[in-house]
Each structure stands twice: as C-alpha cells, then as structure tokens.
Amino acid sequence: MKLVNLGYVLLITGTILIMNQYVQERKEVVTEKNKISYTLQEQTGYLKKEVDTYDMILSIPQIGLKKGIYQKEDKRNNIEENVTIHEQSNFPDQENSNVILMAHSGSGKKAFFNDLDKLNEDSLIEFYYQKTKYVYKIDHYYSEEKVGTLVIQRDSTKKAITLITCSQKDKSRQLVYIGYLIDEIKY
C-alpha cells in the first residue's frame, strides 16, 4: 500500500513539475509576443497617429521629412498649407500610377520641400496609403521653366511618384523629381 501511495506522490509530483515547466514556457512566449507587439507599436506609432488625421503620408528619410497629405477634394489639400496631391495624380494601388506631389521650398514652416535639392538617384521616398507602404527610388530629376504647365518626363509603364517644387537658385524654374516603385509593404 505504501508503494502505491509513493507511486501516486511521484506521479503527482512529476505532473506538477511538467505543468510548471509548460506554464513557464507559455509565459515566456506571451512575454515575447508582447515585446514584439510593443516594438511594432513604437516603430509605427507616428504612422498610426498620422493615419487618424491624414489620408496619406509622405516620408523622405534622407531629408527628415514626414508629412501627412489630405485627399484631393479636401480644402486643406492646398500648396499654401501642406504638401499637396495634384488633381491629376493617381493613387499607388492603380496600374502605372503617378502620385504627383507639390510643396513650397525656401524659408518658413510651410516650405516642406525645402531640402529636395539634397536628393540624388539613390534616394528613397516612402508613401503610405491604405495600409500599404510604397517605396520609390529616385530615377532622375530635372529643372523646368515655370510657365503654369509642366510636362512630366517619366516612363508611363511603371508606377511613379513625382515631386515638384520651386528652385531656390532660380525662382523662374521648378524642380521635378521622378521616382519609380521598388517595393510594397502591407502593414
């Protein structure tokens, strides 16, 4: 009888040890998941905050620009206050799209494209739209005379982004930067 009781005690002790180990491993998994979740929230926190107010976000890491953009029809979509999406712009989820963005350069807090002249053909542009991050790489840039209209020189068989601003060196000219899509990342 004592042998049977000893067997039960060993069985119960073994079960408790195994369950304790399982619980500890499970706690570690949950803790790790929480760490990952927190890290993702930290990394996308600004984006989540901006998405609540803006319809799109433009980010150019090389020059430290991150700015929300309103829909074309929104009265706040104007060059005097914000980075503006042009009325003839397409959205990046459309075939062979061209996202056309314009902003002031020069001095003042509304000169969002002030540092575009620091971009080169290796510069990356990030555009957040409908839970997708579109990454473009500058392909070429050029200067055009300001005459009220502009011919955009791009490959129309590729998805593109076009950034337009006034030249700071020659106020009669405008700078045009063309980038092509290299990656799409859902978030």
Side-chain angles (χ1 to χ4, degrees), residues 2-41:
K2 287 186 179 187
L3 190 56
V4 173
N5 288 340
L6 182 61
Y8 283 126
V9 169
L10 288 175
L11 181 63
I12 292 171
T13 304
T15 303
I16 290 172
L17 289 174
I18 290 171
M19 289 301 293
N20 187 35
Q21 182 178 356
Y22 172 78
V23 168
Q24 290 301 328
E25 288 174 1
R26 188 74 188 128
K27 281 182 182 178
E28 288 175 14
V29 168
V30 169
T31 302
E32 190 61 30
K33 282 176 103 176
N34 288 341
K35 284 180 187 176
I36 291 169
S37 176
Y38 180 74
T39 301
L40 287 172
Q41 285 178 336

Side-chain angles (χ1 to χ4, degrees), residues 123-147:
S123 299
L124 298 179
I125 300 167
E126 300 168 349
F127 190 77
Y128 297 84
Y129 176 70
Q130 293 190 345
K131 297 192 178 189
T132 303
K133 173 181 168 182
Y134 297 89
V135 181
Y136 299 86
K137 183 178 176 188
I138 295 290
D139 181 74
H140 64 280
Y141 47 94
Y142 56 95
S143 171
E144 288 251 334
E145 189 174 353
K146 281 203 289 190
V147 293

Side-chain angles (χ1 to χ4, degrees), residues 20-175:
N20 187 35
Q21 182 178 356
Y22 172 78
V23 168
Q24 290 301 328
E25 288 174 1
R26 188 74 188 128
K27 281 182 182 178
E28 288 175 14
V29 168
V30 169
T31 302
E32 190 61 30
K33 282 176 103 176
N34 288 341
K35 284 180 187 176
I36 291 169
S37 176
Y38 180 74
T39 301
L40 287 172
Q41 285 178 336
E42 273 185 332
Q43 291 173 352
T44 60
Y46 178 84
L47 177 66
K48 287 179 187 281
K49 186 172 84 179
E50 291 295 305
V51 169
D52 291 340
T53 356
Y54 297 107
D55 299 300
M56 300 154 267
I57 297 173
L58 170 68
S59 175
I60 308 175
Q62 184 176 341
I63 61 174
L65 175 67
K66 189 175 258 187
K67 182 69 179 113
I69 301 168
Y70 297 102
Q71 285 290 341
K72 295 179 200 178
E73 304 80 22
D74 194 304
K75 66 181 180 178
R76 296 168 292 184
N77 180 43
N78 66 71
I79 200 160
E80 297 307 319
E81 298 177 63
N82 295 297
V83 173
T84 304
I85 186 163
H86 192 275
E87 62 187 23
Q88 293 181 357
S89 182
N90 312 93
F91 293 104
D93 58 348
Q94 298 173 339
E95 188 174 337
N96 302 327
S97 62
N98 187 14
V99 178
I100 305 168
L101 302 173
M102 306 171 297
H104 284 298
S105 59
S107 59
K109 64 181 184 176
K110 302 297 181 188
F112 297 111
F113 282 180
N114 190 45
D115 293 327
L116 281 190
D117 59 349
K118 294 178 181 172
L119 300 180
N120 56 45
E121 292 176 355
D122 291 325
S123 299
L124 298 179
I125 300 167
E126 300 168 349
F127 190 77
Y128 297 84
Y129 176 70
Q130 293 190 345
K131 297 192 178 189
T132 303
K133 173 181 168 182
Y134 297 89
V135 181
Y136 299 86
K137 183 178 176 188
I138 295 290
D139 181 74
H140 64 280
Y141 47 94
Y142 56 95
S143 171
E144 288 251 334
E145 189 174 353
K146 281 203 289 190
V147 293
T149 60
L150 174 71
V151 176
I152 297 175
Q153 302 167 16
R154 76 174 189 99
D155 182 344
S156 61
T157 65
K158 298 179 179 179
K159 290 186 176 188
I161 192 164
T162 302
L163 307 178
I164 303 169
T165 193
C166 297
S167 170
Q168 294 181 50
K169 295 176 184 169
D170 181 353
K171 298 295 181 190
S172 68
R173 301 194 67 77
Q174 53 197 351
L175 304 175

